[in-house]
Amino acid sequence: MKRTISLILSLLLVFSIVCPCFAVTDAEDRAINNGVSLKISSGGVATAKLNFSGGDDVYKISATVYFERYTNGFWTRVYIKVVDNQIVITENASSLSRTLRVTVPNAGTYRVVAVITCYGDTTKTYTKTASAYYNGT
């Protein structure tokens, strides 16, 4: 009887330690499956849509977002008239959804990069990108 109770208590202890990890895995799956999209309209208006949600344990999501242009084999940041040419968004909730618009200067391939941090039982960071081509008209 003591052996059975010890076994049950040991299993409960193991599950209580392991279960928070499942919530972070859930947040990771959602952050990977949701994310970011980019479209560039005529006139050079780049519209990035962000849509991230974490698991039940996530209480805050932060995103650092910037735009880049592919030139001569390298990605370089687009000047968007804010500090470090990046936008920082923080939501004290388990999800974050925003639409951002910037004007791109010339024809070319552009991408939006979102570095997302989910705060919960543990903190996880993910990077999501989406790209689009602008023909200059």
Side-chain angles (χ1 to χ4, degrees):
M1 182 68 165
K2 285 184 182 181
R3 182 181 257 176
T4 303
I5 292 173
S6 294
L7 179 62
I8 291 171
L9 290 176
S10 296
L11 289 173
L12 287 175
L13 179 61
V14 168
F15 283 120
S16 69
I17 292 169
V18 174
C19 283
C21 296
F22 292 128
V24 172
T25 302
D26 183 42
E28 182 175 355
D29 290 343
R30 291 181 191 194
I32 290 170
N33 292 330
N34 294 329
V36 62
S37 66
L38 178 66
K39 291 184 181 181
I40 304 174
S41 65
S42 60
V45 177
T47 302
K49 292 187 179 184
L50 311 175
N51 186 20
F52 306 105
S53 61
D56 295 336
D57 73 314
V58 174
Y59 62 87
K60 179 168 91 171
I61 295 181
S62 178
T64 300
V65 182
Y66 51 93
F67 294 82
E68 294 179 321
R69 180 174 185 231
Y70 192 72
T71 308
N72 298 324
F74 297 97
W75 290 102
T76 56
R77 279 210 190 171
V78 174
Y79 176 69
I80 58 172
K81 301 179 184 178
V82 295
V83 176
D84 294 330
N85 294 312
Q86 64 187 21
I87 300 161
V88 179
I89 304 163
T90 300
E91 194 69 51
N92 290 317
S94 63
S95 63
L96 182 148
S97 183
R98 290 284 194 294
T99 299
L100 305 172
R101 289 181 181 82
V102 300
T103 302
V104 295
N106 303 317
T109 301
Y110 291 86
R111 75 177 178 183
V112 61
V113 179
V115 180
I116 307 102
T117 304
C118 295
Y119 300 88
D121 291 340
T122 61
T123 300
K124 291 279 218 164
T125 300
Y126 314 94
T127 301
K128 298 292 291 175
T129 63
S131 60
Y133 181 77
Y134 172 53
N135 64 8
T137 61

